Amino acid sequence: MKYLKVVSLVLVALLVASCAAQLPQKDIDAANAIMSEAEAAKADVYAPTEYQAAVDAKAAMEAELAAQNAKQSGKDYKQLTELVKAYSQAATAAKNAATANAEAAKNDVATLLTDVQNAFNTVKAEAEAAAGDAKKAKKAKLDLNAINAQIANEEQAIAAASSANDSGDYATAKTSLTTLKDEIATLQSSLEAAGFTAPAAATTDAAAQPATTNQ
């Protein structure tokens, strides 16, 4: 009987131990790894909504983990397990969205680089035509000095956007090129309204010149 009693106590102890709350550390580590991948994919830039959701999910998980760790006894990781799962899913969504959106931005930049470079070549030729007929330009109230300064700034901005694209910073390149496209279009409208157009050769060269793209 004494032997059976000891065995029973051991079995009860083992049962209690097996039923004790288990910290889902492996799941937490896995979720954190996915979050690191999302951050490496620049989810904060290319998928800000999804990234913020992942950040919030991580904060909720960490708050619950801290609450359970603060307990001397009666730890219960059921809620934590659910929060870890939600965090993992949110981090995965952020990583996937960032990867997809970055690829889309890369394609957009490739198109923008071509469009902006061609438009710039055209407007530069029109500005040179205006400079060649200062009297006509003055009559049209064109500020040739301001136009030349804008042309120089736009040429530098295109080079900077191209460099950003080459380094994989598609978000910066896209923002810059979108602004440039509008600025160039406005200048082109002013020059053409004043009667200045690019020579046919310049337009042809602009269309033929390839934009710098990321390899």
mmCIF file of all heavy atoms in Angstrom, residues 186-204:
data_model
loop_
_atom_site.group_PDB
_atom_site.id
_atom_site.type_symbol
_atom_site.label_atom_id
_atom_site.label_comp_id
_atom_site.label_asym_id
_atom_site.label_seq_id
_atom_site.Cartn_x
_atom_site.Cartn_y
_atom_site.Cartn_z
ATOM 1 N N THR A 186 4.969 71.559 -66.172
ATOM 2 C CA THR A 186 4.557 72.957 -66.001
ATOM 3 C C THR A 186 5.476 73.889 -66.791
ATOM 4 O O THR A 186 5.013 74.817 -67.470
ATOM 5 C CB THR A 186 4.599 73.352 -64.504
ATOM 6 O OG1 THR A 186 3.674 72.533 -63.783
ATOM 7 C CG2 THR A 186 4.217 74.811 -64.315
ATOM 8 N N LEU A 187 6.785 73.652 -66.702
ATOM 9 C CA LEU A 187 7.740 74.470 -67.440
ATOM 10 C C LEU A 187 7.553 74.304 -68.937
ATOM 11 O O LEU A 187 7.596 75.283 -69.699
ATOM 12 C CB LEU A 187 9.165 74.087 -67.043
ATOM 13 C CG LEU A 187 10.297 74.835 -67.773
ATOM 14 C CD1 LEU A 187 10.145 76.344 -67.602
ATOM 15 C CD2 LEU A 187 11.653 74.369 -67.258
ATOM 16 N N GLN A 188 7.312 73.084 -69.366
ATOM 17 C CA GLN A 188 7.112 72.823 -70.787
ATOM 18 C C GLN A 188 5.891 73.568 -71.307
ATOM 19 O O GLN A 188 5.915 74.142 -72.399
ATOM 20 C CB GLN A 188 6.955 71.321 -71.037
ATOM 21 C CG GLN A 188 6.848 70.959 -72.517
ATOM 22 C CD GLN A 188 6.838 69.449 -72.737
ATOM 23 O OE1 GLN A 188 7.062 68.686 -71.812
ATOM 24 N NE2 GLN A 188 6.576 69.034 -73.962
ATOM 25 N N SER A 189 4.840 73.588 -70.519
ATOM 26 C CA SER A 189 3.616 74.296 -70.922
ATOM 27 C C SER A 189 3.890 75.793 -71.092
ATOM 28 O O SER A 189 3.405 76.428 -72.040
ATOM 29 C CB SER A 189 2.517 74.082 -69.883
ATOM 30 O OG SER A 189 2.125 72.731 -69.841
ATOM 31 N N SER A 190 4.676 76.363 -70.171
ATOM 32 C CA SER A 190 4.990 77.794 -70.233
ATOM 33 C C SER A 190 5.810 78.114 -71.479
ATOM 34 O O SER A 190 5.547 79.112 -72.171
ATOM 35 C CB SER A 190 5.783 78.212 -68.985
ATOM 36 O OG SER A 190 5.005 78.034 -67.819
ATOM 37 N N LEU A 191 6.801 77.277 -71.758
ATOM 38 C CA LEU A 191 7.648 77.514 -72.918
ATOM 39 C C LEU A 191 6.881 77.361 -74.228
ATOM 40 O O LEU A 191 7.027 78.184 -75.152
ATOM 41 C CB LEU A 191 8.837 76.548 -72.890
ATOM 42 C CG LEU A 191 9.905 76.851 -71.830
ATOM 43 C CD1 LEU A 191 10.828 75.666 -71.650
ATOM 44 C CD2 LEU A 191 10.706 78.102 -72.228
ATOM 45 N N GLU A 192 6.053 76.344 -74.297
ATOM 46 C CA GLU A 192 5.308 76.101 -75.525
ATOM 47 C C GLU A 192 4.211 77.138 -75.720
ATOM 48 O O GLU A 192 3.873 77.500 -76.860
ATOM 49 C CB GLU A 192 4.743 74.689 -75.518
ATOM 50 C CG GLU A 192 5.855 73.635 -75.623
ATOM 51 C CD GLU A 192 5.346 72.198 -75.619
ATOM 52 O OE1 GLU A 192 4.124 72.006 -75.463
ATOM 53 O OE2 GLU A 192 6.189 71.285 -75.774
ATOM 54 N N ALA A 193 3.664 77.649 -74.622
ATOM 55 C CA ALA A 193 2.658 78.706 -74.722
ATOM 56 C C ALA A 193 3.292 79.981 -75.269
ATOM 57 O O ALA A 193 2.616 80.804 -75.922
ATOM 58 C CB ALA A 193 2.035 78.976 -73.352
ATOM 59 N N ALA A 194 4.598 80.141 -75.018
ATOM 60 C CA ALA A 194 5.321 81.309 -75.517
ATOM 61 C C ALA A 194 5.821 81.092 -76.940
ATOM 62 O O ALA A 194 6.464 81.980 -77.525
ATOM 63 C CB ALA A 194 6.493 81.622 -74.600
ATOM 64 N N GLY A 195 5.560 79.920 -77.490
ATOM 65 C CA GLY A 195 5.929 79.637 -78.871
ATOM 66 C C GLY A 195 7.252 78.942 -79.055
ATOM 67 O O GLY A 195 7.781 78.873 -80.179
ATOM 68 N N PHE A 196 7.809 78.406 -77.978
ATOM 69 C CA PHE A 196 9.096 77.713 -78.086
ATOM 70 C C PHE A 196 8.883 76.198 -78.033
ATOM 71 O O PHE A 196 8.310 75.668 -77.076
ATOM 72 C CB PHE A 196 10.039 78.128 -76.956
ATOM 73 C CG PHE A 196 10.403 79.576 -77.001
ATOM 74 C CD1 PHE A 196 9.844 80.469 -76.102
ATOM 75 C CD2 PHE A 196 11.282 80.054 -77.969
ATOM 76 C CE1 PHE A 196 10.168 81.823 -76.153
ATOM 77 C CE2 PHE A 196 11.601 81.412 -78.028
ATOM 78 C CZ PHE A 196 11.040 82.302 -77.111
ATOM 79 N N THR A 197 9.337 75.521 -79.075
ATOM 80 C CA THR A 197 9.221 74.064 -79.126
ATOM 81 C C THR A 197 10.585 73.462 -79.412
ATOM 82 O O THR A 197 11.463 74.118 -79.982
ATOM 83 C CB THR A 197 8.225 73.620 -80.217
ATOM 84 O OG1 THR A 197 8.657 74.142 -81.489
ATOM 85 C CG2 THR A 197 6.823 74.124 -79.908
ATOM 86 N N ALA A 198 10.748 72.222 -79.012
ATOM 87 C CA ALA A 198 12.023 71.550 -79.222
ATOM 88 C C ALA A 198 12.169 71.162 -80.678
ATOM 89 O O ALA A 198 11.192 70.756 -81.331
ATOM 90 C CB ALA A 198 12.098 70.311 -78.349
ATOM 91 N N PRO A 199 13.364 71.284 -81.215
ATOM 92 C CA PRO A 199 13.599 70.810 -82.582
ATOM 93 C C PRO A 199 13.267 69.332 -82.685
ATOM 94 O O PRO A 199 13.387 68.590 -81.705
ATOM 95 C CB PRO A 199 15.100 71.064 -82.787
ATOM 96 C CG PRO A 199 15.432 72.152 -81.806
ATOM 97 C CD PRO A 199 14.561 71.870 -80.611
ATOM 98 N N ALA A 200 12.870 68.885 -83.848
ATOM 99 C CA ALA A 200 12.487 67.487 -84.036
ATOM 100 C C ALA A 200 13.617 66.546 -83.648
ATOM 101 O O ALA A 200 13.395 65.491 -83.058
ATOM 102 C CB ALA A 200 12.085 67.249 -85.492
ATOM 103 N N ALA A 201 14.839 66.922 -83.927
ATOM 104 C CA ALA A 201 15.990 66.064 -83.620
ATOM 105 C C ALA A 201 16.107 65.868 -82.113
ATOM 106 O O ALA A 201 16.401 64.772 -81.636
ATOM 107 C CB ALA A 201 17.272 66.667 -84.174
ATOM 108 N N ALA A 202 15.869 66.934 -81.353
ATOM 109 C CA ALA A 202 15.992 66.831 -79.899
ATOM 110 C C ALA A 202 14.928 65.917 -79.327
ATOM 111 O O ALA A 202 15.173 65.127 -78.420
ATOM 112 C CB ALA A 202 15.883 68.225 -79.268
ATOM 113 N N THR A 203 13.727 66.022 -79.876
ATOM 114 C CA THR A 203 12.630 65.174 -79.411
ATOM 115 C C THR A 203 12.910 63.712 -79.718
ATOM 116 O O THR A 203 12.661 62.818 -78.908
ATOM 117 C CB THR A 203 11.306 65.595 -80.077
ATOM 118 O OG1 THR A 203 11.070 66.978 -79.802
ATOM 119 C CG2 THR A 203 10.151 64.776 -79.549
ATOM 120 N N THR A 204 13.467 63.475 -80.910
ATOM 121 C CA THR A 204 13.796 62.099 -81.304
ATOM 122 C C THR A 204 14.879 61.526 -80.397
ATOM 123 O O THR A 204 14.809 60.389 -79.946
ATOM 124 C CB THR A 204 14.276 62.057 -82.773
ATOM 125 O OG1 THR A 204 13.246 62.575 -83.609
ATOM 126 C CG2 THR A 204 14.610 60.636 -83.186
#
